[in-house]
Amino acid sequence: MPRKNGINVITMGCSKNLVDSERLMKMLRDSGFDAVHDADPADCRGYAAVINTCGFIGDAKEESINMILEALQARDAGLLSKVYVMGCLSERYRKDLEKELPEVDGWYGKFDWSAIVRDLAKTFPATAPWDRVLTTPRHHAYLKIAEGCNRFCAFCAIPLITGRYKSRPEEEILQEVRELVSRGVKEFNIIAQDLSAYGSDLPGGGLRLAGLIDRMAQIPGVEWIRLHYAYPAQFPYDVLPVMARHSNVCKYLDIALQHIADPVLANMRRHISAAETEELLARIRREVPGIHIRTTLMVGFPGEGEEEFGQLLDFVRRQRFERMGAFAYCEEDDTYGAKNFEDSIPQEVKQQRLDRLMELQEEISMEIQQSKVGTIQRVIIDSENADYYIGRTQYDSPEVDPEVLIEKTSKMCKGEFYNVEITDAMPFELIARPCL
């Protein structure tokens, strides 16, 4: 029998999308629906599906399209009742998608997704703007403090999807933190497309990330705060003493640098030079001793010859990033790069450069991991398997960073903090034993 009030919300893409899905689920539940997240199809036969799509790069778009097609097949086979689509992909390509896939039951974008609730429930719940259903383990949550982006980097389609930068009011964010703490959340991963610009659009202007984090750190029950997706140009340096001063602000910063060669940075429209980038990193490490920096780099952007790629390799060797991801340039429709540069570097060359860069980073990661052997680290426990408890240090963000595998010599509880001694290291995992 179809479950008329059952809805399976399927999230594609990033943690910012996940927060939107969590808010949608809360509104649906407040309206009387049984809303679940990424559930096994066998457990939600007859449910409607809401697919929250990603539209960032080619692979992500293809993955979202394939998920829509799979859901439509499941509906036609009687396994689902309806298929609705929301998120970044439909925000950007809704008209084209409506023509190509008219069998979808409803299309919504990045910002009008709450209309799903109105259209299904024929009413609108009085859900608080920060309230949501957590799909993460109950001890940690993603906290989105802004939407949109004003940077318009040459390679990036995000501003075309999300529009201009919009900060959330500080008091609303802090109220959300207090509410989540009351529900057992201890770890807050702060996210936005651009953390650096937080507050610039609020009344009075100015960069306000430091003040927000300072106030957040003083809320009882907040154990860890971790900063994701800062932008290097116009970096809010006043956040560094806040990070250094508060023990519950993790010594961790996710800041996408993309490249170091000046010609490539100029073509990318990053509004920062190689020298300024080096000084930024030196100051971050100087003011926050022991910080772990996560960055993202790109290979194969127009203007990157062998000399510029060599500069990138040398940069990574010098900086020894504790955490690093990389990807090959993929031209995106309607971006400045697509309109003004020829994507002339062959794909095989891009892949070779990417492989070389990641091989170098694996060597660096191994050396950094090995340096932790014999140290005592505070970890939070996320899960367990037959052999180990699985935790993370303050330097490890959920899903993307290394985990700590802890020998089961004493009882540990999920969501609790413990001190462990690191006994062995691999490039992307640490082995530990509990401290007596």
Side-chain angles (χ1 to χ4, degrees), residues 65 72 125 375 388:
I65 291 292
L72 290 172
T375 65
Y388 297 102

Side-chain angles (χ1 to χ4, degrees), residues 82 115 166 208-209 223 355 424 435:
K82 300 283 185 179
K166 185 176 182 181
R208 303 187 191 180
L209 181 65
E223 295 278 353
D355 292 343
D424 200 0
C435 291

Side-chain angles (χ1 to χ4, degrees), residues 88-125:
C88 293
L89 186 72
S90 53
E91 177 71 27
R92 191 174 182 202
Y93 299 109
R94 187 183 309 194
K95 290 183 179 179
D96 293 335
L97 289 169
E98 286 175 340
K99 293 178 181 177
E100 293 293 327
L101 295 170
E103 58 268 44
V104 168
D105 294 289
W107 293 95
Y108 305 84
K110 175 69 177 171
F111 301 103
D112 66 344
W113 52 261
S114 61
I116 295 173
V117 183
R118 181 198 62 219
D119 293 346
L120 293 180
K122 309 305 179 186
T123 185
F124 207 73

